[in-house]
Each structure stands twice: as structure tokens, then as C-alpha cells.
Amino acid sequence: MAVNTETPSQRASKWLASLAAALGRGDAAGAAALFTDDGYWRDLVSFSWNITTAEGKDKIQQMVAGAVIPGKSLAWQLEGEASEVDGVTEGWFRFETAVARGYGHLRLKGGKAWTLLTTMTELKGHEEHKGPTREFGTVHVAQRGSKSWLEQRQQEEAELGVTTQPYVLIVGGGQGGIALAARLRRLNVPAIIVEKNERPGDSWRKRYKSLCLHDPVWYDHLPCLPFPEHWPIFSAKDKIADWLEMYTKVMELNYWGSTECKAARYNESKQEWAVEVVRHGKPMTLRPKQLVLATGGSGFPNMPSIPGMDKFKGVLQHSSAHMGPEGYKGKKAVVVGSNSSGHDICVALWEEGADVTMVQRGSTLVGRSQSLGALTLDSLYSETALKAGITTDKADLLMASTPYKVLPSLHAPAYVKLQQVDADFYAKLEKVGFLLDFGEDGSGIYLKAMRVGGGYYIDTGGSDLIIDGRVKLKSKVGIERITEHSIVFTDGTELAADLIVFATGYGTPDHFVTQLLGKSVGDKVGKVWGLGSNTRGDPGPWEGELRNMWKPTHQEAFWIHGGNLHLSRHYSQFLALQLKARMEKIPTPVYALAPVHHRS
Amino acid sequence: MAVNTETPSQRASKWLASLAAALGRGDAAGAAALFTDDGYWRDLVSFSWNITTAEGKDKIQQMVAGAVIPGKSLAWQLEGEASEVDGVTEGWFRFETAVARGYGHLRLKGGKAWTLLTTMTELKGHEEHKGPTREFGTVHVAQRGSKSWLEQRQQEEAELGVTTQPYVLIVGGGQGGIALAARLRRLNVPAIIVEKNERPGDSWRKRYKSLCLHDPVWYDHLPCLPFPEHWPIFSAKDKIADWLEMYTKVMELNYWGSTECKAARYNESKQEWAVEVVRHGKPMTLRPKQLVLATGGSGFPNMPSIPGMDKFKGVLQHSSAHMGPEGYKGKKAVVVGSNSSGHDICVALWEEGADVTMVQRGSTLVGRSQSLGALTLDSLYSETALKAGITTDKADLLMASTPYKVLPSLHAPAYVKLQQVDADFYAKLEKVGFLLDFGEDGSGIYLKAMRVGGGYYIDTGGSDLIIDGRVKLKSKVGIERITEHSIVFTDGTELAADLIVFATGYGTPDHFVTQLLGKSVGDKVGKVWGLGSNTRGDPGPWEGELRNMWKPTHQEAFWIHGGNLHLSRHYSQFLALQLKARMEKIPTPVYALAPVHHRS
């Protein structure tokens, strides 16, 4: 019974040694045999130069043979102590490839790997300078022609994009573009962000005034410069906007505000892009080697087409054009849509004293902020997690360590629990006719976000207004037509309105790909976002990873970046490393480039 | 021999228990008996509502009887493990008073306390919200009339100082004023900073272009929001300026730029100040309860009066007016002064290609940046220190734990060592006639800074230029007069000049006190800065603490704040707590208010 005296750390170390040995002798089958039949190996760039999950022994063997063994690896070394809970041994480890250092996470069941995560942390010889390796700063020696820090920054600003070209051009300067540009700056990759708004943070500032983060602070840090300890749990949009603006400044990013990107064409022979931009009204062409789209979907509001819309005499607008409730006191307001924006706008209009009705077209996942936190994020992103040693970096890796395939079955129980905990709340919502769902397979918010990027509301006060009728609800009916002063529904009822806001969401980044790069490139790149879960809005086949996000696409030198603050923070690391490797001409053979199943 | 088996922690805990017991039974003599004859108790606000050091048993007994026992204290509890090196037992501890929580540091020799430091960390019931107690942020409930974060900020900015009055007015918006305002904001003390420059950071931006921090990054953090991990060791002035500007924004400080403070009078009956300011050219009166001067000395350039100055046909300026070397290529430049600014300006002029001469009037302490670091700051402020668990907070407390009285004897050996390590360097400097000193008692830079605020140069490239004659040196002579195109020295030599820069330093904050508050208040408050060391510029008698800094003065409701980034960071904590206590009407009996020995 010697096995019983083995500590979790010994077990994990032994497994890592076995894997290293199999890889060392070029034995893909032997390596795969170390996994359970339903095992997963998720690799973030370190071996595959891709973001990919090998699902099951066969796929793992293929990946080992195709991606891991060609370059081999070394120094698989447990870090800290492994733990064991419910028969699952869990541990962190370091490893190296020929060109990079990596960090990983391992879960063993019965001595075999159930999940293995390998992530690239830095390229050898191109490490970020920080802490003990931070830069000296001002040079302590007199030399003729030396330039001050300010002169150097001013020179860079004057020259980059004008007389010299950036290696990377990032289109879109929200949190995604900013986080990526910060990573690239730290890796000495010349980059420019172009953004149609004037100032960093404007994409937040220009939204309706009550907008705030529905995710807590621990989940929202940017790379390199975390929020300070006193930052509130839920930040208002303008506070985040100010943070983004100062972050852009102190991270020394080349941020071109008031600059619109019109079109981009790839020149195969020159291996560079020609990107047409209009900066402060002046057209110019940028010629970066790599092009990153970080626009999110919010440039393309989804606006339904309803008979009579053009005849409406009041204000009819998409939520993106709705700035706030001012002027609607005592007026009749109708908000079409029941996700986050729809709720937030209803609340703000009610607070102002408008007569508000929400029109719900389809079911919505609603969860109370506190209950959701307690059941989901809190174990990874909270003061409690921090106290238990789960830093934001560790939490990000733990998030990444769970394969998308198993997430639904892991998340669903929390939503069963949620319905029990808040049974009274949900009963009240249903009583007034609110259509609820918890995801097609009951897997909740995170999966909805991964599949279609929306369809939920984290309750920050709106549900109580609906429950007690302060905000009226019209659901289970369609809109038939709009008249000069009202909305007529499919059940024949009519609702007078001075204001109609369509909180009907946004398109996906696909639209931007086609708009900027043309239809043929758009079709080549295909659909963006979604997992192939075969649920509404996310058709199969199963992809195993988000489509086209942060990884090579079928268009050379073209990348898509984005997501909420969490995703922008974590995945910018891997996209930045992929770009840096290409700049340094390190070979980057891409393993398992995902086939395109759906045109954009 | 049981004593030999006692661990350092046991010894320290036992001592703390004995002190607590003596205080508990009201036994000042018993408490004092726990100290060595040459023992020190330094208190930062926690018992004395003052910044004061009791030197020797008698003074300690007086302080215990007068300040500690009246309020008593409890829960003297060792934190972490004590250590023992060379017969000195060292440990950290927590304690409480009736109104506050405190943190302290203890050094025992032979079972008795040699140094005891007690510092206030927070007022009970008025704790800063951070980490586990951070604010919720956006309220997750709908309520009529609720204001967004932006609306609240805009309202505060519109009203504070106009229709409502700040509790504290801070005159001067450099790092001192900014750090204090940040602490006050976190403690919910309404405060305004008035600053004559337009933007935060301008007091750095407007200095000569090669200015950079001569202290390393670990020493320079601001409160609440430390520099990120990749920040360089030595920052250029404009980089620090940008950081200060963004810090002011994200810490949500009320910063009135382009505002000059003209005069202030205290109204005893109303217990408030009437402060005349001119904001964007418009005169107005502010009526704060507390007034803080945080102007440093740099508003008052020291400009010598030399015959013929008015006849000079070239450019003659104080270093504060010298913006940089542009335009002086091939020109003859003379820099009078051999401290930091004098050297920096010589370097920049030489780099530009000017013909540069430094005029040295008195001796200067020069130390090479790296050698100095290795011998002084590195043990407290460095990556090595961080790795050993000495965070910036801990380092600040260790700095504060050593009484000023013993500092010279502790620092002098490092400067003896420095002269050995860099003997060759110093020999070369002396060979070209450079006048060196290491402080009157050989105690080095920090003591010079505490006594007179200057008189040294941390070599960042200037000394080599002087050594090899690329920058010429004129020393051991006085300036007799200035002609239209030259300087004539007391030895009869003459030096042609197109530019003369007087890098002759600045006055002390005393000047501001008298200018703003009038001569009678200025005289009442007395000299600012200095320890009473009875060395040049710092007359006795011995004070034991810096005069008038961060502690009550002889003018009610008037305070002086400042110092380098380190002092601004650490002592803003104690000044903020003193101000908060007064706002909350917590009794603050000041023990041992320092007598004024020297008029301002």
C-alpha cells in the first residue's frame, strides 16, 4: 500500500517526470497514455503556437506528435505543493521549450491526467523587464546627443506611423486594444492603437449614464498596473474610463484618438498591410506587419426593422445612442430588450421619474449580483480567494484550466443552487410575466457569454422594479407596428410612448472583419466568437475554443482580440507573445489551425 | 541558564507584556525602567498627538506619565517572529489606544528596550476602506434621485470651495500636497489643493530637462497606488510628472491648478482660516478649518547679490529659470553651484556642446549612485529588501525607528567605507580641485538632508566630466564681480561667459509662512526643518525631530508638510490622521509641543 503514503506533491511530480520522459524519448503514445480516456490538454501558445484543446487520448496523442515532441521540452517542475480534494490531485508547474518558458496546471484522477493546461509566460531572450530585472531608467552617464525621456517619447510619437511603421496596428482602443498595447509595449513591440473616439475611455463615457461594471474589481484588473486596494467592488463607467485614460498615458501607449480605420488590404509579397485610416480628418496609410482587430461588436448596433418606425413622432433610438434619462421625467418610455442594457436603462428612466415599460421578447437569464458571486466567481476572484493565495494571475489560469467541454456540467449545479437560494425572487419575476432561462442546458451566464456574448442580466436593482410594477413589463408578445405615438403589439394591445429605446444588443466582430478587409477575407476568416455548442446563436460542430479569438486565423498576419476586462487582460498575454515571436522571427508553426465552419 | 533557551520572540513578547503591565498599573517609573539608560521612545502621533522622541530614561518616564498613561493602551502583541543579531533583539508589534490602532517596532539590548517606535495606523471607527473592507461602489438598488459617480464628482467639484468649504486647505500641489490629499480623500476629509502651476506635475515639468530622480523607485512610491513592477529604477522628471497628474485624477483629488495663495489669517473665534486665493485670475476667499503649507522651499530661489550682475549682457538666471541647454551649443556657460542641480545642468550643457565651467564655492558631498545605494538605502529599499520581506511600509517604519540622535553614528561608518570603495574616484576629484566633504561629522547625505535639505550630489555622470576636464572647474575662489561678458574671481582671474546659471538652491518653507501668514505668525511658528544638530545651517539646541514638520505648530490649525517622495509618502499618514481626528472632534492633547528656538 505504498501508494497511500504518497503525498499529492509526490504524485504530481512523478506524473510530470513520466510525461517529461515520454516526451524526451519521442513517445507520443506513451505521453497520451498518461491521460485518462476523457482527458484534456489545453495549450495556450506554448507548444501549438495556437490556442487549442486536445480532447481525449487520441487527440492528445496527435497533439503531442504534431506539436509538443517536434520542439520537445524540459524542466517540468512542480511549483509549490500539490493538493488533493475528492480524489483529484491538483498542482502548478513550470516547464520550458526550446524558445520559451511556461507555466501550467495539472489535475490527476487515479494517477492519470484529467486536465493539463500549458501556457507560455515568456520568450527566452525577450523577457519583460520588471521587478529584479526592471530597467535602470535615466542613464547615469553623460553623453553628447543624449535625449531625455520626454524627448524620446515625443520623437516616437512624431515618427511612429509617419516616418516609421509600427509592427502591430490595433484597430479599436477600448479595454481590449489598450491591454494588448500595454503588453506589446512591455515586450518592445512597436504598436499603434487607432480609435474613432477622441480619448481613451470614451467608449465607456459615451454609454448611458448609469452603466457600471457588473463584474467585481478582482476580475477586472488590467495587465501590469492593477487597481489599487481601495478600488470599489463595482466601478461606474466614468471611473473606469478615467482609469483607462491614465493607464494609456502611464503605460506610454501610442494611442491615436479621433482616428477611423476605413479599410485594410494585405500585400502578400511585401508581407505587410496597407491600412487606410483617417486621423483627425486627414487620410493616411499605415503599413504594419500585423493587424489586430479589437473593436468588439459595439460598432454594429442590432436594430430591428418594424413597420411604422419611420413615422414615430417621439424619440426612437438604439441603446448605444441613448445617453441617459434627462428630460424624460413624467414621459412615457418604452425599452425593448431585457438584458443588461435594457434593465439599466429602465432603472435610470424610472429613477428620473419617467413612466417606464420594458418589452421582453425572449427569455433572459437573471441572477442577483450577490448570489451569483457567492456561487460562481467568489472562489477565484474575491478577497477570500486572495487570502487563500489565489492571485488574479492564478485565478485566470484556473479559469483557463477547465476545458470548455466540461464547463457546462461544472456550472449547471451552481444555477440549480441559485434557483433554490433565490426561489422567492424568481417566483416573483415569473408572476409578473418575466420570461426566465438559465441557458439551454442550464449552464448559466459564463457559457452564454462564451457562446453568444449576451442574453443575461446581473441584477443591480432592476428586477425589484419589475417585480413590484414600478417598471411595467410587456412580455410574451411581439411588436406588430409602431404608430406616431405608440407601439402596437401582436396581441392587439397598444402602448403610448414618447421614447422608444431598442436595447437589442450589438453585432459580432465578424461585421468589422468584412467591412475592413472585404467579403472574401471575411469569408475566409469566418465566424468570430462562440464555441460550436449547437445552442441558439452558436451552431455546431463543436470547436473546443472560441472561434478566431487571440489565435492565428486563416488570414495571415490578422488577429482578433477582445472580450470583457478579464479576457482582455489574460488573453492579451498570449496574443502579445505570438506577435513578439513573429517580430523576432522565431519559428511559429501553428498546430491545428481551426477549420472555418461558418462564414462571417 | 534558562535565559539562553528563550527565543527572540519570547523575549520580545515578555518585554511587551511588562510594558503593558506597567502602563496598566499607571507606573511611569516602572515603564521607564524597562528601557536602557540611553533608550529612546519615538512616538508618531499614537500617544503624544505629536511627532516626538523621548531620549533617555527620564524623558521616557515624563512621556509615559504625560502622554501614554493618561489614555492607557492595550493589546501590545508581537507580530511575526522577533529576530536577534549581534545581541539586539528586534521585533514588530501591534497595540491599541482608546481611540486608535497602532503598529510599532522594538529593539532590545540585554532585555531592555534600546529603541521603541510607536505609530498610529488608524483611528477606530474611521478606518480606511480597502481590501476586505473596500467600498461597494455603484449601489445595486434603484432609487429616485440617485446620482452617478460622475455626477457626484462633478457636483463636488462645482460646490467645494464655492458653496461648501473644505475642512483642509493644502497650499502647494507637488508630491507633498498630492500625497496628503490622497490620504485625506481615503479618510473622507474634504480637502482642496491650491497650486500656482496649471497641471499636477508641472513643478517637475518646469525644471531643467535632464532632471531625474536620484533616489531609486522603491523609495519613491506614493500612498495607496504604488508604481507598477516594471517602473524604472530612476525616473525622468516628466515621467514622474505624468504619474503625479494621473494619480491626482484617479485618486479623485480636488486640485485647483492655476491658483495662487496670497494670504491667510486665522479667525480665533470662528476657529477657521480666511485664505485669499486667486483662481484663474479671479480672487476668492476660502474658509477651511485647517491650513497645510506644502510648498517646499522652491518658491524662493537663493540668488546671491554680486556687483555688476545687472550689467551682464548674456543670460543670467537662477537654476529654477533654466529650462535646458538648447541654444547654447558652442557657447560659454558658467554654472555657479556644485550640488545636484549644478551638476545636472553642467552635464546637460556639455551634452549639448557648450563650453562649460562649474564654479564651486563651498565643499560638496559627492557619492556615486551605485556605491551609495549598496552602502545605504539598498538594505531597506531594493528588490533584495523586498525579497527579504521588507516592503516599502516596513522600510519606512525601520527608517523611522532609528532616533535622529543615533543616526550620525550609524551612518558615518558607511561613508568611511564609501571613501575606501571609491578612493580612486575621490582622489581624481580632489586632484582637479573639487572640494569634498562627507558632512561635518562624516554622517553623510541623509543627515545633510535632514539638517539643511541639501549640500550633496548623487553622481549620475557629472563627476567624470569634471574629473577629465570636459567640464572645467573653478573652485577655492570667490566671485568678485560680473562684467558685461565675464565673471571676475577673487584671485584676479576672469572667465568669459554667454550664460551664467546660479544653481544656488532655494530658501526654506519659513519664507512662505511669513509671506502668507505675516511676520508675527511667522515668528511664532519659527524655523522650519532641521534637527538642531549645531552644524552649519542647523543651529542648536538639539530638537530631536525635524522642526515644525507634520506635527502641531505654535499656530493653531496650521501645519507644514513636505519632503522628498519618501517623506511625503510616510509622514502624510501621520498628518492625515491628526487632521482627521480634529475633524471628528476626537480629543488630541498634544504632548511636548516643541519650543521655538529660532525665528523663521
Side-chain angles (χ1 to χ4, degrees), chain A residues 296-319:
Chain A
S298 54
F300 288 91
N302 277 335
M303 193 73 170
S305 176
I306 298 169
M309 274 173 112
D310 52 326
K311 300 200 185 74
F312 187 65
K313 298 281 193 198
V315 174
L316 185 152
Q317 59 192 190
H318 185 264
S319 61

PDB file of all heavy atoms in Angstrom, chain A residues 296-319:
ATOM      1  N   GLY A 296     -14.444  44.921 -30.644  1.00  0.00           N
ATOM      2  CA  GLY A 296     -15.645  44.364 -30.043  1.00  0.00           C
ATOM      3  C   GLY A 296     -16.745  44.349 -31.094  1.00  0.00           C
ATOM      4  O   GLY A 296     -16.478  44.471 -32.287  1.00  0.00           O
ATOM      5  N   GLY A 297     -17.977  44.221 -30.634  1.00  0.00           N
ATOM      6  CA  GLY A 297     -19.070  44.220 -31.604  1.00  0.00           C
ATOM      7  C   GLY A 297     -19.850  45.513 -31.575  1.00  0.00           C
ATOM      8  O   GLY A 297     -20.784  45.715 -32.342  1.00  0.00           O
ATOM      9  N   SER A 298     -19.430  46.410 -30.681  1.00  0.00           N
ATOM     10  CA  SER A 298     -20.339  47.500 -30.355  1.00  0.00           C
ATOM     11  C   SER A 298     -20.410  48.586 -31.419  1.00  0.00           C
ATOM     12  O   SER A 298     -21.162  49.530 -31.301  1.00  0.00           O
ATOM     13  CB  SER A 298     -19.973  48.105 -29.003  1.00  0.00           C
ATOM     14  OG  SER A 298     -18.631  48.478 -28.999  1.00  0.00           O
ATOM     15  N   GLY A 299     -19.654  48.428 -32.485  1.00  0.00           N
ATOM     16  CA  GLY A 299     -19.813  49.363 -33.587  1.00  0.00           C
ATOM     17  C   GLY A 299     -21.054  49.054 -34.419  1.00  0.00           C
ATOM     18  O   GLY A 299     -21.495  49.883 -35.207  1.00  0.00           O
ATOM     19  N   PHE A 300     -21.639  47.872 -34.244  1.00  0.00           N
ATOM     20  CA  PHE A 300     -22.775  47.466 -35.065  1.00  0.00           C
ATOM     21  C   PHE A 300     -24.013  47.183 -34.214  1.00  0.00           C
ATOM     22  O   PHE A 300     -24.282  46.040 -33.865  1.00  0.00           O
ATOM     23  CB  PHE A 300     -22.407  46.228 -35.883  1.00  0.00           C
ATOM     24  CG  PHE A 300     -21.459  46.530 -36.997  1.00  0.00           C
ATOM     25  CD1 PHE A 300     -20.090  46.456 -36.800  1.00  0.00           C
ATOM     26  CD2 PHE A 300     -21.937  46.934 -38.237  1.00  0.00           C
ATOM     27  CE1 PHE A 300     -19.211  46.758 -37.830  1.00  0.00           C
ATOM     28  CE2 PHE A 300     -21.064  47.232 -39.269  1.00  0.00           C
ATOM     29  CZ  PHE A 300     -19.694  47.148 -39.075  1.00  0.00           C
ATOM     30  N   PRO A 301     -24.771  48.225 -33.906  1.00  0.00           N
ATOM     31  CA  PRO A 301     -25.990  48.012 -33.120  1.00  0.00           C
ATOM     32  C   PRO A 301     -26.970  47.129 -33.893  1.00  0.00           C
ATOM     33  O   PRO A 301     -27.122  47.283 -35.107  1.00  0.00           O
ATOM     34  CB  PRO A 301     -26.569  49.423 -32.979  1.00  0.00           C
ATOM     35  CG  PRO A 301     -25.455  50.352 -33.294  1.00  0.00           C
ATOM     36  CD  PRO A 301     -24.582  49.632 -34.265  1.00  0.00           C
ATOM     37  N   ASN A 302     -27.591  46.194 -33.178  1.00  0.00           N
ATOM     38  CA  ASN A 302     -28.691  45.420 -33.758  1.00  0.00           C
ATOM     39  C   ASN A 302     -29.964  46.229 -33.658  1.00  0.00           C
ATOM     40  O   ASN A 302     -30.450  46.492 -32.553  1.00  0.00           O
ATOM     41  CB  ASN A 302     -28.907  44.126 -32.962  1.00  0.00           C
ATOM     42  CG  ASN A 302     -27.954  43.030 -33.387  1.00  0.00           C
ATOM     43  OD1 ASN A 302     -27.461  43.029 -34.506  1.00  0.00           O
ATOM     44  ND2 ASN A 302     -27.700  42.098 -32.480  1.00  0.00           N
ATOM     45  N   MET A 303     -30.495  46.638 -34.767  1.00  0.00           N
ATOM     46  CA  MET A 303     -31.722  47.438 -34.741  1.00  0.00           C
ATOM     47  C   MET A 303     -32.769  46.686 -35.535  1.00  0.00           C
ATOM     48  O   MET A 303     -32.603  46.461 -36.737  1.00  0.00           O
ATOM     49  CB  MET A 303     -31.414  48.805 -35.373  1.00  0.00           C
ATOM     50  CG  MET A 303     -32.480  49.844 -35.146  1.00  0.00           C
ATOM     51  SD  MET A 303     -32.475  50.433 -33.424  1.00  0.00           S
ATOM     52  CE  MET A 303     -33.599  51.831 -33.596  1.00  0.00           C
ATOM     53  N   PRO A 304     -33.841  46.240 -34.876  1.00  0.00           N
ATOM     54  CA  PRO A 304     -34.858  45.508 -35.624  1.00  0.00           C
ATOM     55  C   PRO A 304     -35.575  46.434 -36.608  1.00  0.00           C
ATOM     56  O   PRO A 304     -35.584  47.651 -36.419  1.00  0.00           O
ATOM     57  CB  PRO A 304     -35.819  45.010 -34.545  1.00  0.00           C
ATOM     58  CG  PRO A 304     -35.638  45.939 -33.412  1.00  0.00           C
ATOM     59  CD  PRO A 304     -34.227  46.441 -33.482  1.00  0.00           C
ATOM     60  N   SER A 305     -36.150  45.854 -37.617  1.00  0.00           N
ATOM     61  CA  SER A 305     -36.910  46.646 -38.580  1.00  0.00           C
ATOM     62  C   SER A 305     -38.390  46.371 -38.321  1.00  0.00           C
ATOM     63  O   SER A 305     -38.845  45.232 -38.426  1.00  0.00           O
ATOM     64  CB  SER A 305     -36.498  46.227 -39.988  1.00  0.00           C
ATOM     65  OG  SER A 305     -37.286  46.912 -40.925  1.00  0.00           O
ATOM     66  N   ILE A 306     -39.115  47.408 -37.930  1.00  0.00           N
ATOM     67  CA  ILE A 306     -40.519  47.250 -37.537  1.00  0.00           C
ATOM     68  C   ILE A 306     -41.361  48.235 -38.342  1.00  0.00           C
ATOM     69  O   ILE A 306     -40.988  49.415 -38.449  1.00  0.00           O
ATOM     70  CB  ILE A 306     -40.690  47.514 -36.023  1.00  0.00           C
ATOM     71  CG1 ILE A 306     -39.865  46.496 -35.206  1.00  0.00           C
ATOM     72  CG2 ILE A 306     -42.170  47.425 -35.623  1.00  0.00           C
ATOM     73  CD1 ILE A 306     -39.765  46.825 -33.750  1.00  0.00           C
ATOM     74  N   PRO A 307     -42.451  47.783 -38.897  1.00  0.00           N
ATOM     75  CA  PRO A 307     -43.284  48.691 -39.687  1.00  0.00           C
ATOM     76  C   PRO A 307     -43.677  49.931 -38.893  1.00  0.00           C
ATOM     77  O   PRO A 307     -44.032  49.816 -37.702  1.00  0.00           O
ATOM     78  CB  PRO A 307     -44.531  47.845 -40.025  1.00  0.00           C
ATOM     79  CG  PRO A 307     -44.095  46.428 -39.874  1.00  0.00           C
ATOM     80  CD  PRO A 307     -43.015  46.428 -38.835  1.00  0.00           C
ATOM     81  N   GLY A 308     -43.576  51.071 -39.491  1.00  0.00           N
ATOM     82  CA  GLY A 308     -44.030  52.312 -38.857  1.00  0.00           C
ATOM     83  C   GLY A 308     -42.963  53.043 -38.067  1.00  0.00           C
ATOM     84  O   GLY A 308     -43.185  54.145 -37.560  1.00  0.00           O
ATOM     85  N   MET A 309     -41.772  52.413 -37.944  1.00  0.00           N
ATOM     86  CA  MET A 309     -40.684  53.038 -37.174  1.00  0.00           C
ATOM     87  C   MET A 309     -40.413  54.475 -37.627  1.00  0.00           C
ATOM     88  O   MET A 309     -40.149  55.362 -36.822  1.00  0.00           O
ATOM     89  CB  MET A 309     -39.387  52.233 -37.339  1.00  0.00           C
ATOM     90  CG  MET A 309     -39.235  51.082 -36.380  1.00  0.00           C
ATOM     91  SD  MET A 309     -37.780  50.092 -36.814  1.00  0.00           S
ATOM     92  CE  MET A 309     -36.717  50.431 -35.436  1.00  0.00           C
ATOM     93  N   ASP A 310     -40.458  54.654 -38.931  1.00  0.00           N
ATOM     94  CA  ASP A 310     -40.117  55.962 -39.504  1.00  0.00           C
ATOM     95  C   ASP A 310     -41.189  57.013 -39.208  1.00  0.00           C
ATOM     96  O   ASP A 310     -40.937  58.214 -39.347  1.00  0.00           O
ATOM     97  CB  ASP A 310     -39.929  55.825 -41.014  1.00  0.00           C
ATOM     98  CG  ASP A 310     -41.119  55.140 -41.669  1.00  0.00           C
ATOM     99  OD1 ASP A 310     -41.730  54.230 -41.035  1.00  0.00           O
ATOM    100  OD2 ASP A 310     -41.466  55.515 -42.802  1.00  0.00           O
ATOM    101  N   LYS A 311     -42.373  56.552 -38.801  1.00  0.00           N
ATOM    102  CA  LYS A 311     -43.463  57.512 -38.569  1.00  0.00           C
ATOM    103  C   LYS A 311     -43.511  58.006 -37.136  1.00  0.00           C
ATOM    104  O   LYS A 311     -44.247  58.933 -36.806  1.00  0.00           O
ATOM    105  CB  LYS A 311     -44.812  56.867 -38.930  1.00  0.00           C
ATOM    106  CG  LYS A 311     -44.901  56.420 -40.391  1.00  0.00           C
ATOM    107  CD  LYS A 311     -46.328  56.264 -40.839  1.00  0.00           C
ATOM    108  CE  LYS A 311     -46.416  55.708 -42.255  1.00  0.00           C
ATOM    109  NZ  LYS A 311     -46.081  54.243 -42.311  1.00  0.00           N
ATOM    110  N   PHE A 312     -42.754  57.344 -36.243  1.00  0.00           N
ATOM    111  CA  PHE A 312     -42.837  57.678 -34.818  1.00  0.00           C
ATOM    112  C   PHE A 312     -42.433  59.131 -34.588  1.00  0.00           C
ATOM    113  O   PHE A 312     -41.411  59.605 -35.097  1.00  0.00           O
ATOM    114  CB  PHE A 312     -41.923  56.728 -34.028  1.00  0.00           C
ATOM    115  CG  PHE A 312     -42.061  56.864 -32.538  1.00  0.00           C
ATOM    116  CD1 PHE A 312     -43.257  56.533 -31.900  1.00  0.00           C
ATOM    117  CD2 PHE A 312     -40.997  57.328 -31.761  1.00  0.00           C
ATOM    118  CE1 PHE A 312     -43.374  56.653 -30.520  1.00  0.00           C
ATOM    119  CE2 PHE A 312     -41.114  57.451 -30.385  1.00  0.00           C
ATOM    120  CZ  PHE A 312     -42.303  57.110 -29.760  1.00  0.00           C
ATOM    121  N   LYS A 313     -43.245  59.859 -33.817  1.00  0.00           N
ATOM    122  CA  LYS A 313     -43.004  61.292 -33.614  1.00  0.00           C
ATOM    123  C   LYS A 313     -42.113  61.579 -32.391  1.00  0.00           C
ATOM    124  O   LYS A 313     -41.636  62.695 -32.211  1.00  0.00           O
ATOM    125  CB  LYS A 313     -44.336  62.033 -33.415  1.00  0.00           C
ATOM    126  CG  LYS A 313     -45.291  61.965 -34.598  1.00  0.00           C
ATOM    127  CD  LYS A 313     -44.893  62.951 -35.689  1.00  0.00           C
ATOM    128  CE  LYS A 313     -46.015  63.093 -36.713  1.00  0.00           C
ATOM    129  NZ  LYS A 313     -45.514  63.670 -37.968  1.00  0.00           N
ATOM    130  N   GLY A 314     -42.012  60.576 -31.522  1.00  0.00           N
ATOM    131  CA  GLY A 314     -41.162  60.784 -30.350  1.00  0.00           C
ATOM    132  C   GLY A 314     -39.707  60.463 -30.677  1.00  0.00           C
ATOM    133  O   GLY A 314     -39.283  60.542 -31.825  1.00  0.00           O
ATOM    134  N   VAL A 315     -38.947  60.110 -29.640  1.00  0.00           N
ATOM    135  CA  VAL A 315     -37.545  59.728 -29.834  1.00  0.00           C
ATOM    136  C   VAL A 315     -37.455  58.210 -29.924  1.00  0.00           C
ATOM    137  O   VAL A 315     -37.939  57.510 -29.023  1.00  0.00           O
ATOM    138  CB  VAL A 315     -36.663  60.248 -28.684  1.00  0.00           C
ATOM    139  CG1 VAL A 315     -35.245  59.717 -28.831  1.00  0.00           C
ATOM    140  CG2 VAL A 315     -36.675  61.767 -28.637  1.00  0.00           C
ATOM    141  N   LEU A 316     -36.868  57.724 -30.986  1.00  0.00           N
ATOM    142  CA  LEU A 316     -36.696  56.281 -31.173  1.00  0.00           C
ATOM    143  C   LEU A 316     -35.206  56.056 -31.416  1.00  0.00           C
ATOM    144  O   LEU A 316     -34.628  56.646 -32.331  1.00  0.00           O
ATOM    145  CB  LEU A 316     -37.547  55.834 -32.365  1.00  0.00           C
ATOM    146  CG  LEU A 316     -37.615  54.330 -32.661  1.00  0.00           C
ATOM    147  CD1 LEU A 316     -38.938  53.986 -33.344  1.00  0.00           C
ATOM    148  CD2 LEU A 316     -36.450  53.877 -33.517  1.00  0.00           C
ATOM    149  N   GLN A 317     -34.585  55.241 -30.576  1.00  0.00           N
ATOM    150  CA  GLN A 317     -33.128  55.119 -30.679  1.00  0.00           C
ATOM    151  C   GLN A 317     -32.650  53.747 -30.215  1.00  0.00           C
ATOM    152  O   GLN A 317     -33.342  53.046 -29.467  1.00  0.00           O
ATOM    153  CB  GLN A 317     -32.449  56.205 -29.834  1.00  0.00           C
ATOM    154  CG  GLN A 317     -32.821  56.157 -28.377  1.00  0.00           C
ATOM    155  CD  GLN A 317     -32.387  57.381 -27.563  1.00  0.00           C
ATOM    156  OE1 GLN A 317     -32.474  57.383 -26.355  1.00  0.00           O
ATOM    157  NE2 GLN A 317     -31.933  58.422 -28.241  1.00  0.00           N
ATOM    158  N   HIS A 318     -31.476  53.394 -30.694  1.00  0.00           N
ATOM    159  CA  HIS A 318     -30.812  52.204 -30.161  1.00  0.00           C
ATOM    160  C   HIS A 318     -30.173  52.588 -28.822  1.00  0.00           C
ATOM    161  O   HIS A 318     -29.847  53.760 -28.599  1.00  0.00           O
ATOM    162  CB  HIS A 318     -29.741  51.715 -31.143  1.00  0.00           C
ATOM    163  CG  HIS A 318     -29.098  50.418 -30.725  1.00  0.00           C
ATOM    164  ND1 HIS A 318     -27.911  50.365 -30.046  1.00  0.00           N
ATOM    165  CD2 HIS A 318     -29.508  49.143 -30.882  1.00  0.00           C
ATOM    166  CE1 HIS A 318     -27.608  49.089 -29.804  1.00  0.00           C
ATOM    167  NE2 HIS A 318     -28.559  48.328 -30.304  1.00  0.00           N
ATOM    168  N   SER A 319     -29.980  51.609 -27.948  1.00  0.00           N
ATOM    169  CA  SER A 319     -29.418  51.907 -26.628  1.00  0.00           C
ATOM    170  C   SER A 319     -28.054  52.596 -26.728  1.00  0.00           C
ATOM    171  O   SER A 319     -27.686  53.379 -25.862  1.00  0.00           O
ATOM    172  CB  SER A 319     -29.293  50.626 -25.814  1.00  0.00           C
ATOM    173  OG  SER A 319     -28.438  49.711 -26.463  1.00  0.00           O
TER     174      SER A 319
END
